Amino acid sequence: MLLEAPFTEKKIRALRVGDKVEITGLIYTGRDAVHKYLHDGGKSPVDLTDSIIYHCGPVVVKEKGKWVVKAAGPTTSIREEPYQGPLMEKFKIRAVIGKGGMGPKTLEYCQKVGAVYFHAIGGAAQVLAERVIEVPDVHMAEEFGSPEAIWEFRVERFPVVVTMDSHGKSLHEKVLAESTKNLSKLLG
Amino acid sequence: MDAKILEKNLLELIRRTSSQLPRDVVEVIDKGWRKEKKDSSGKYALEVIRDNIGMAKDKSQPICQDTGAIICYADLPQWCDERLFVKAYEKAVVKATKIGYLRQNSVDSITGENSGTNLGPGNPTFHFHPVKGKSLTVKMMLKGGGSENMACQYSLPDNRIGAGRDLAGVRKCLLDATLNAQGKGCGPGILGVCIGGDRGSGYIAAKETLFRTLDDVNPDKRLAKLEKQILKEANSLGIGPMGFGGQTTLLGVKITHRNRVPASFFVSVAYMCWAFRRNGIVMSEGGKISRWLYES
């Protein structure tokens, strides 16, 4: 299904675990340095209301005066577990895109704030880079370095799967429970 | 030796390693894709992965944006001076970073500053072996952070998982490591394993064993059997591609061993993601590449 900007709470609350979604609109990258900075009280250089944060450290180069994304897959999200929920609440962030899923704290905030976790296919840097049609701007590149900066990505039909929704469901919890059970059966 | 030609060859090695997956890896990914259930999230993940492999090759761009740690193994014949080799390699790395084959991936651990060139203390990592023959063999691996973070080391006996100091204990370690890596290490993954050694040498040997191809058979019959068993059992856990559920959790298991001191029994696991970027060349003194390792 399609999800187009603006990313309102109503649209996000309608999403369920397992939905294959294609996102169109402006999203922001943010990973370890950005999350720590915002959590420590840093001021956001962009308005994050109803935004989508992409856990991604892209390869971006300047060609003929324009930023061009060479590779842009997701990074592991769980590292942001201490920060993500509170930041969702403070800035009204509606979704994060990443890989590997997040923990119970983020899941709780997803319910409270009206937010979801989108899983992009890890390592699929080219398929995902191709859906970034424009890079309008970059913020904090000097402080944090290129992979850790806040990049503005205009995306078109960016493919993700909902693996945590705003109704308390998590695919990650489910697969972990099942595989743990399978392993103890195997070990007798 | 002409340093310029060496640098040019190394740049091409980096380009191919970053943008093309080895034949043996692609084959196993295809096999997994055929196995996964229609319309499942696991099959969808492998579909995107297969598209991505084709696209990266066509566009000559990184398969994954995390072009990882640059690990180089070189067998140096007498004509190839180690310092000259390092210089040429570093030049090729800087160039590859500028072009975008490699991400700016070298961060000062004290200040947090990114060197921007992929050069810095310990980056890239070199392992040299002097050899008698006339050919220079260079193997390289790009190993992303997501997969490297999933590496783990067990000290047996391990009470938490009930693993003793034997192959049955090793089996428990490897299945536990697979369970813990779910979702995080960009599966389906590959385990490189070393039984024994010390904490340092065990990890190095575990990583080194990833230079074996996925379709080879371990010459040590006991380990060949264990590799097969772990692969089968791991794929029965239901973790699947990306941890979405499914049958393709691991693409391969490679096990080696080192002697240990009586008091220690380490099992070191190097986890590799599906974007298993390794390649290698065999080169003559004149600069001609006679063979690409891992290509058909």
Side-chain angles (χ1 to χ4, degrees), chain A residues 53-124:
Chain A
I53 299 286
Y54 182 20
H55 296 159
C56 168
V59 179
V60 189
V61 294
K62 213 158 207 178
E63 283 177 0
K64 293 178 195 144
K66 264 187 164 176
W67 292 112
V68 179
V69 176
K70 292 283 179 185
T75 189
T76 305
S77 299
I78 197 69
R79 293 194 305 268
E80 317 313 338
E81 180 68 5
Y83 317 122
Q84 199 66 69
L87 292 184
M88 280 174 165
E89 187 173 42
K90 185 174 175 190
F91 293 101
K92 294 196 177 58
I93 295 165
R94 289 284 161 230
V96 294
I97 307 171
K99 69 166 184 182
M102 301 189 75
K105 185 174 171 187
T106 303
L107 188 62
E108 204 186 302
Y109 274 95
C110 281
Q111 286 173 267
K112 196 166 148 195
V113 177
V116 293
Y117 181 83
F118 289 124
H119 203 301
I121 305 304

Side-chain angles (χ1 to χ4, degrees), chain A residues 85-168:
Chain A
L87 292 184
M88 280 174 165
E89 187 173 42
K90 185 174 175 190
F91 293 101
K92 294 196 177 58
I93 295 165
R94 289 284 161 230
V96 294
I97 307 171
K99 69 166 184 182
M102 301 189 75
K105 185 174 171 187
T106 303
L107 188 62
E108 204 186 302
Y109 274 95
C110 281
Q111 286 173 267
K112 196 166 148 195
V113 177
V116 293
Y117 181 83
F118 289 124
H119 203 301
I121 305 304
Q126 289 310 318
V127 168
L128 298 174
E130 204 181 60
R131 306 298 173 95
V132 182
I133 53 169
E134 193 198 348
V135 184
D137 210 349
V138 59
H139 310 270
M140 315 199 81
E142 266 173 32
E143 294 95 313
F144 298 148
S146 171
E148 293 272 0
I150 299 178
W151 291 93
E152 294 185 11
F153 282 178
R154 195 170 301 285
V155 297
E156 201 171 84
R157 303 184 76 111
F158 191 89
V160 293
V161 180
V162 179
T163 55
M164 293 163 68
D165 63 22
S166 63
H167 310 284

Side-chain angles (χ1 to χ4, degrees), chain B residues 275-286:
Chain B
F276 191 170
R277 288 150 291 169
R278 66 158 140 69
N279 210 328
I281 51 171
V282 180
M283 193 186 126
S284 69
E285 186 174 2

Side-chain angles (χ1 to χ4, degrees), chain B residues 139-155:
Chain B
K139 288 183 189 174
M140 75 174 286
M141 195 185 289
L142 296 173
K143 195 164 184 306
S147 76
E148 185 66 6
N149 289 347
M150 287 299 103
C152 54
Q153 195 166 55
Y154 298 83
S155 175

